[in-house]
Amino acid sequence: MRPTRNFIKICKSPPGFERDPRTRLLSIAIYINFFSHHYIIDLRWLLFALAGRLLLRTRIHFKVWHRHRSMPLLLGLVLVSVFIWFSENIGTFTRIWLYPSQRQGWSMVSVDKLGSWFLLLIISYTLVSLVNAPRERREEGGASAVRRKLNRMPDFEHSRS
């Protein structure tokens, strides 16, 4: 979770939601639903509602070049899901891989996959945060001061003489 340590900070009240038992239970429920929806009722819509309620106030703060920005975590998860879905469609269109329904001819990947990617991202975030919990960044001194100093330095081209 190197990006979290370097330039992403996730904020919510109360802090430490990534280790919240509700987040773990949601991830377990999502995982069980991935397999059980073939045999019993699909609880995907309930899982979306629970994820929305749990993560609604959660914001992700990140730094792009020198500017600090933020956005809702739910929006970030949806955007990543959309980009993965686009990539999946490009991959199947170029025949890098195919789903069984695409063997006779290409068709767009189902929009239902967007929801699957969204739920999978929640599981992935929970698992990574359990293994490598996000740490508070030190703003002053140490590597942060050196990084700030280097970011203010102009870029130089080195000629090959």
Side-chain angles (χ1 to χ4, degrees), residues 4-135:
T4 303
R5 285 194 312 260
N6 289 345
F7 56 86
I8 295 175
K9 182 179 179 186
I10 297 176
C11 296
K12 181 184 188 243
S13 282
F17 82 98
E18 62 277 339
R19 292 190 174 265
D20 187 340
R22 295 175 299 175
T23 306
R24 294 178 189 174
L25 288 173
L26 175 64
S27 296
I28 291 168
I30 291 169
Y31 187 76
I32 290 170
N33 190 66
F34 275 142
F35 295 103
S36 67
H37 82 274
H38 297 290
Y39 308 107
I40 60 174
I41 190 167
D42 188 2
L43 300 174
R44 197 174 310 179
W45 291 105
L46 175 64
L47 295 170
F48 291 144
L50 291 173
R53 180 173 176 148
L54 185 63
L55 302 175
L56 184 63
R57 295 181 312 172
T58 306
R59 294 191 67 80
I60 184 166
H61 297 265
F62 53 95
K63 184 177 179 181
V64 177
W65 194 242
H66 297 289
R67 286 200 52 157
H68 291 275
R69 302 175 189 273
S70 73
M71 66 190 249
L73 179 60
L74 283 175
L75 175 62
L77 294 174
V78 168
L79 289 174
V80 170
S81 301
V82 167
F83 289 126
I84 292 172
W85 182 73
F86 281 142
S87 301
E88 196 173 18
N89 276 294
I90 292 168
T92 57
F93 181 76
T94 57
R95 303 183 70 80
I96 293 173
W97 73 85
L98 295 173
Y99 290 106
S101 63
Q102 297 172 324
R103 296 205 184 238
Q104 301 301 322
W106 183 79
S107 62
M108 197 171 234
V109 175
S110 171
V111 178
D112 293 343
K113 284 283 207 164
L114 278 169
S116 298
W117 285 118
F118 174 81
L119 294 173
L120 184 62
L121 286 171
I122 292 173
I123 292 175
S124 300
Y125 177 78
T126 303
L127 288 173
V128 169
S129 68
L130 287 173
V131 172
N132 187 9
R135 300 180 214 153

